[in-house]
Amino acid sequence: MVISGKVKGLVFNIQRFSIHDGPGIRTTVFFKGCPLRCLWCANPESINPFPEIMFNEAKCIKCYKCINVCPFRAIIQHFDKVIINREICDGCGECMNVCYSGALNLCGKYMSLEEVLNEVRRDIPFYQASNGGVTASGGEPLMQHEFVKELFKIAYEEGISTALETSGHAPWKALSSVLKHTDLILYDLKAVDSKVHEEMTGVTNKLILENLKRASLEAIPIIIRIPIIMGYNIATEEDIHKIGSFLSKLKGIERVDLLPYHKFGEIKYRFLGREYKVKAKPLNKEFISNLKGIIESYGYKTSIGGLS
Ligand code: SF4
Ligand code: SF4
């Protein structure tokens, strides 16, 4: 997005000392906005491409200061409760500024390249000691590909290794422009069956699979990340066979990570006034080991949990 003539990125978190988003110690920049609607999304605050207010009712001390400052009258008191009308809230953050208990938090901040880079540069010694670097994640970072492209270009020039975590659901032009300065791709793959993919994520996987095929010819290592949501994207071992078979035709896949379902993101749905609908079956250790064995049978190094 261009603000006052400058390209700005909408970022909802910058996580330092991350060890799950590529090799070594990394700084992960989480971009807000995603074209997918995965039913199990663990970062629901990442989906909408605009700032949003999150309300943790348990922290509210009922001072009602927020009601008076809201320029849009989006907050009302109902008995002793604070209610936010998200239809008219514009994410200005005024209410957060007077909420001293920390019940209100604005998720999503427009940042300049220099601001993001300054955060990333803080840990250069750790990247050097651990083979780490910066990871662009989300949401879907390719929704802000112009910003990510510039971020990676400068990081590259400064000797900071770069990793892109993507769903691959973006025009090839956007993806390829970022890949010019990318050292590693973390490619999320939910299902190769298009119907299943569409039911679970709201979009077909046509673009995702095509982009993966094209990216695999770019001589950049790729780690495939497969969420395992039993009864949703994975119902039987056959579903993993389909993924293994698809991958076996590609080059450049360094490893496959199986990511077992967890409910850590559930509480955030409440903070956003949304409903968490997933009722996935608990993962059986033996079943996930079988899935790992199946991917390995297609010749891939496979991990459970994606620790690198
Ligand atoms: S300002 Fe914060 S603590 Fe006070 S009523 Fe609003 S949400 Fe609750
Ligand atoms: S973010 Fe702004 S518009 Fe939304 S509730 Fe708070 S003060 Fe009102």
Side-chain angles (χ1 to χ4, degrees):
M1 172 175 274
V2 179
I3 299 175
S4 311
K6 285 193 168 179
V7 176
K8 297 233 176 183
L10 180 60
V11 172
F12 72 94
N13 190 14
I14 296 185
Q15 190 176 317
R16 294 170 66 201
F17 301 104
S18 167
I19 54 162
H20 295 279
D21 302 313
I25 294 171
R26 312 193 69 82
T27 296
T28 304
V29 182
F30 291 90
F31 289 90
K32 193 157 157 50
C34 183
L36 273 64
R37 295 290 177 271
C38 303
L39 294 174
W40 54 82
C41 181
N43 288 325
E45 74 279 31
S46 73
I47 295 172
N48 287 328
F50 47 78
E52 285 171 283
I53 203 79
M54 295 178 84
F55 175 45
N56 181 350
E57 197 178 353
K59 285 191 175 177
C60 176
I61 54 166
K62 319 222 186 273
C63 68
Y64 307 117
K65 288 195 170 105
C66 51
I67 295 173
N68 296 329
V69 298
C70 178
F72 298 91
R73 297 181 187 271
I75 312 184
I76 56 160
Q77 182 184 347
H78 182 65
F79 295 100
D80 69 337
K81 278 184 180 296
V82 164
I83 310 281
I84 301 173
N85 183 342
R86 292 176 182 277
E87 295 287 310
I88 52 177
C89 167
D90 95 327
C92 69
E94 293 291 329
C95 53
M96 177 184 74
N97 295 335
V98 296
C99 181
Y100 301 114
S101 71
L104 291 165
N105 278 295
L106 189 67
C107 173
K109 185 178 167 191
Y110 289 102
M111 297 180 75
S112 69
L113 260 177
E114 221 28 52
E115 283 171 321
V116 174
L117 278 161
N118 285 342
E119 282 297 305
V120 170
R121 288 177 185 129
R122 289 170 72 181
D123 292 329
I124 288 175
F126 295 104
Y127 309 149
Q128 288 167 342
S130 68
N131 253 337
V134 61
T135 299
S137 182
E140 173 49 68
L142 294 178
M143 276 184 80
Q144 301 182 57
H145 60 93
E146 294 283 356
F147 189 93
V148 179
K149 183 180 84 176
E150 287 305 311
L151 175 69
F152 276 17
K153 184 169 175 278
I154 298 170
Y156 226 68
E157 284 163 6
E158 296 183 8
I160 300 170
S161 181
T162 58
L164 173 72
E165 188 188 0
T166 180
S167 67
H169 190 76
W172 171 251
K173 211 174 154 194
L175 174 56
S176 63
S177 71
V178 172
L179 292 187
K180 282 189 188 130
H181 298 103
T182 298
D183 292 311
L184 174 70
I185 308 170
L186 305 165
Y187 207 102
D188 299 338
L189 191 58
K190 280 87 181 182
V192 293
D193 183 305
S194 189
K195 197 163 164 276
V196 171
H197 197 280
E198 192 168 5
E199 279 171 10
M200 297 302 130
T201 71
V203 299
T204 71
N205 57 9
K206 190 169 180 286
L207 192 55
I208 292 168
L209 299 183
E210 274 173 19
N211 280 342
L212 178 54
K213 283 184 199 161
R214 292 178 83 165
S216 72
L217 303 172
E218 292 283 315
I220 301 170
I222 300 174
I223 295 177
I224 300 288
R225 316 234 284 185
I226 309 170
I228 308 294
I229 323 294
M230 285 298 297
Y232 286 79
N233 68 324
I234 303 292
T236 65
E237 292 181 358
E238 187 50 34
D239 294 319
I240 278 285
H241 270 294
K242 284 184 192 165
I243 295 177
S245 168
F246 173 81
L247 295 177
S248 68
K249 298 175 192 99
L250 305 180
K251 295 194 175 89
I253 311 292
E254 190 178 279
R255 196 180 78 211
V256 177
D257 291 344
L258 303 180
L259 308 176
Y261 169 67
H262 61 73
K263 288 173 82 171
F264 302 151
E266 187 178 3
I267 194 161
K268 293 189 275 186
Y269 282 77
R270 222 178 313 142
F271 295 170
L272 290 160
R274 292 183 212 156
E275 194 189 342
Y276 184 73
K277 293 182 180 154
V278 170
K279 292 185 172 52
K281 294 178 200 156
L283 270 175
N284 168 318
K285 259 191 179 172
E286 199 184 320
F287 184 76
I288 189 120
S289 300
N290 286 347
L291 300 187
K292 181 173 181 277
I294 291 170
I295 294 289
E296 283 169 344
S297 75
Y298 288 91
Y300 290 113
K301 202 170 135 196
T302 308
S303 89
I304 297 173
L307 269 178
S308 47

